[in-house]
Amino acid sequence: MRKVVKFGGSSLASARQFKKVKAIITSDKTRCFVIPSAPGKRDAKDIKVTDLLYQCYEAASTGQSYKRTLSLIRKRFEDIIEGLELSLNLDFEFKKIEENFVKKVGREYAASRGEYLNGIVMAEYLGFPFIDAAEVICFDQDGSFLPEKTNEELRLRLSTVKQAVIPGFYGAKPDGSITTFSRGGSDVTGSLVARAIHADLYENWTDVSGFLVADPRIVDNPAPIGTITYRELRELSYMGASVLHEDSIFPVRKEGIPINIRNTNRPDDPGTMIVENTTKKSPFTITGVAGKKGFCSVIIDKAMMNSEIGFGRKVLEVFEKNNISFEHMPSGIDTMSVLVHQDDFQEKEQAVISGINRAVHPEVVELESDLALIAVVGRSMKANRGTAARIFAALSHARINIKMIDQGSSELNIIIGVANDDFENAIRAIYDIFVTTAL
Ligand code: ASP
């Protein structure tokens, strides 16, 4: 049994957090490969080391004063080293970093130093070997990530050690220059390491005890999700429930390795298991409910639309030409509507309306703005009668008007459109009918 453990920035923000992390790692001998992020925020007002590094580099590379920010960064690491009573000296590393900043070696190099230095500290603290991600995470000269080459490099390198610390977030191009994944990319590194060593589990340690059935900013103290499938997760993340970097799913999913989201501050909580498939039923029929505001609907009416072959294609082509992706397309006999993101649509609305007029000569094109979409997601919905009825009854009791309904063909989700102003109440009503009443 071998586990890859990734720790996010808030789990490594201070010496106190590092101590919790060490206790977690040493309590389970199968936790053998450790992926650290850079130190994150110690409290709500703090600044992440990665953000300080971006700021510092920006100043250094444009000839402005950067020394104060650099010493703030250094102080963050020195406080951790001191708090852990390590005899580690980062003079050499900081000298090199400063030289490289002045030489303008690149923004991504700058950002990556948070993970690099945190990896050195973590390796020293745990007594594990340190493996620089620049040697094993590979990008091509244009900056595109190379998954297969990386897999091979990681496999070879990690076969020579039993334990190691590999910093997250960055890798290197063939010429050695440093490249990073997008923000939050240490999740991706963890997933790549898990794939390469055929880990039994990828544990992703953060500051929440996994996914929750609903957004805690809307529902008080929502129930946790014990097990979620990759497909359910995709539906919920698309609607804004974010804990993991999107690109971290693919490498482990391909190998059938589950991800366990865990809380560094509550290590006894089981967290959420993300799996390909499961026979475990979710306790509440629904696995989760999430949503987003800011959509609008373009409603097109034309008598005998149903007999006009190619009508839908012509309408959608107008959106395509204007480079607008659509979310849903509910239709009636003589009417169809296309739901789009309001922000993408607004600046192009007149071009779209005239395009539709030219393409299909409708009787009316109407716009409805300020809509919210809510996804009710659950693998158990397929086998349960009355899920939709319960959603609609709950919304009707809460006096919420439903503007759109769409059930995915996999019966994994039901999407509901409501007015932006009804969004929070709708989420609460759906949560109550499935979860509160079941508890
Ligand atoms: N430190 C990087 C960021 O703040 C990467 C990570 O934490 O995953 O985005």
Side-chain angles (χ1 to χ4, degrees):
M1 176 88 152
R2 287 196 300 173
K3 292 177 189 163
V4 170
V5 286
K6 179 256 164 179
F7 291 89
S10 57
S11 301
L12 298 169
S14 63
R16 196 169 148 246
Q17 292 300 85
F18 263 75
K19 287 180 186 166
K20 293 183 192 170
V21 165
K22 186 172 184 175
I24 290 166
I25 294 169
T26 50
S27 70
D28 178 347
K29 290 278 169 277
T30 66
R31 293 182 173 134
C32 45
F33 292 106
V34 182
I35 317 299
S37 276
K41 295 182 181 195
R42 288 160 295 186
D43 54 56
K45 282 188 246 110
D46 204 9
I47 308 177
K48 289 179 170 192
V49 164
T50 309
D51 291 314
L52 289 173
L53 285 161
Y54 279 125
Q55 276 176 27
C56 186
Y57 181 74
E58 176 66 27
S61 62
T62 52
Q64 298 169 51
S65 63
Y66 61 88
K67 291 205 187 268
R68 223 189 118 248
T69 319
L70 193 61
S71 46
L72 272 178
I73 297 167
R74 188 163 179 163
K75 174 98 175 50
R76 291 287 310 262
F77 287 101
E78 279 170 356
D79 283 351
I80 295 172
I81 291 171
E82 205 185 296
L84 299 177
E85 295 171 37
L86 298 174
S87 57
L88 185 65
N89 184 318
L90 295 179
D91 282 352
F92 172 75
E93 299 297 347
F94 271 95
K95 194 166 160 276
K96 209 159 72 190
I97 290 171
E98 185 166 356
E99 276 168 23
N100 283 333
F101 276 27
V102 177
K103 270 202 267 166
K104 303 187 193 175
V105 294
R107 214 174 158 260
E108 298 189 36
Y109 163 82
S112 74
R113 294 306 86 183
E115 273 70 11
Y116 172 77
L117 294 168
N118 230 16
I120 293 177
V121 176
M122 175 66 98
E124 175 81 12
Y125 184 46
L126 294 173
F128 284 12
F130 171 77
I131 295 179
D132 189 350
E135 293 165 20
V136 281
I137 305 287
C138 312
F139 291 83
D140 71 12
Q141 211 46 48
D142 302 330
S144 305
F145 175 60
L146 297 170
E148 296 317 315
K149 182 162 189 319
T150 296
N151 195 44
E152 196 47 26
E153 293 292 336
L154 276 170
R155 198 183 58 75
L156 285 173
R157 185 67 201 275
L158 299 182
S159 65
T160 62
V161 286
K162 287 212 153 42
Q163 296 161 316
V165 174
I166 307 132
F169 189 38
Y170 70 93
K173 295 177 183 174
D175 69 358
S177 56
I178 300 289
T179 307
T180 61
F181 294 113
S182 56
R183 294 298 304 262
S186 298
D187 285 344
V188 184
T189 311
S191 179
L192 296 169
V193 172
R195 175 187 172 202
I197 67 148
H198 300 295
D200 296 281
L201 184 64
Y202 171 26
E203 285 180 346
N204 191 300
W205 292 81
T206 172
D207 51 9
V208 289
S209 294
F211 290 98
L212 300 169
V213 175
D215 186 338
R217 287 166 299 186
I218 301 176
V219 171
D220 274 345
N221 218 352
I225 299 177
T227 304
I228 189 169
T229 64
Y230 283 113
R231 289 168 70 208
E232 290 174 310
L233 178 66
R234 173 105 179 93
E235 300 281 351
L236 289 172
S237 328
Y238 185 68
M239 282 297 185
S242 72
V243 173
L244 263 185
H245 192 295
E246 248 203 342
D247 296 342
S248 65
I249 307 279
F250 188 66
V252 277
R253 185 172 182 185
K254 208 165 145 188
E255 291 289 315
I257 302 166
I259 306 177
N260 190 192
I261 308 286
R262 300 284 292 265
N263 188 347
T264 302
N265 305 316
R266 295 177 59 106
D268 295 331
D269 286 357
T272 301
M273 283 295 275
I274 311 170
V275 297
E276 180 64 42
N277 245 316
T278 177
T279 52
K280 286 194 191 129
K281 295 203 174 50
S282 59
F284 313 114
T285 309
I286 67 165
T287 301
V289 51
K292 272 198 229 169
K293 289 183 180 177
F295 293 92
C296 61
S297 174
V298 182
I299 304 149
I300 303 148
D301 283 349
K302 184 177 185 186
M304 306 301 285
M305 176 192 290
N306 64 318
S307 57
E308 226 180 279
I309 291 172
F311 191 94
R313 177 184 53 77
K314 288 180 203 156
V315 169
L316 291 181
E317 238 169 35
V318 176
F319 287 88
E320 185 182 352
K321 282 195 185 122
N322 283 284
N323 202 19
I324 299 173
S325 91
F326 77 97
E327 299 293 313
H328 296 280
M329 196 184 55
S331 64
I333 300 291
D334 287 335
T335 175
M336 71 181 266
S337 52
V338 181
L339 271 107
V340 288
H341 277 276
Q342 201 152 311
D343 287 348
D344 299 344
F345 179 69
Q346 233 153 23
E347 58 194 64
K348 298 172 184 162
E349 61 178 23
Q350 298 311 320
V352 173
I353 293 170
S354 54
I356 293 174
N357 276 312
R358 273 195 301 274
V360 294
H361 311 290
E363 272 132 35
V364 193
V365 181
E366 259 181 276
L367 300 179
E368 181 163 13
S369 57
D370 302 319
L371 299 175
L373 292 179
I374 297 173
V376 186
V377 177
R379 58 186 181 278
S380 306
M381 279 178 1
K382 202 170 180 166
N384 272 305
R385 262 174 291 153
T387 312
R390 288 170 76 191
I391 298 172
F392 302 143
L395 294 179
S396 137
H397 281 127
R399 300 184 169 278
I400 292 167
N401 183 27
I402 300 176
K403 294 186 170 281
M404 197 245 355
I405 303 163
D406 191 354
Q407 171 165 276
S409 48
S410 56
E411 288 185 57
L412 188 71
N413 62 355
I414 296 175
I415 312 274
I416 295 143
V418 298
N420 270 349
D421 290 346
D422 286 330
F423 176 67
E424 284 84 3
N425 280 339
I427 297 259
R428 280 184 214 114
I430 294 167
Y431 181 86
D432 282 345
I433 193 88
F434 287 104
V435 184
T436 315
T437 55
L439 289 173

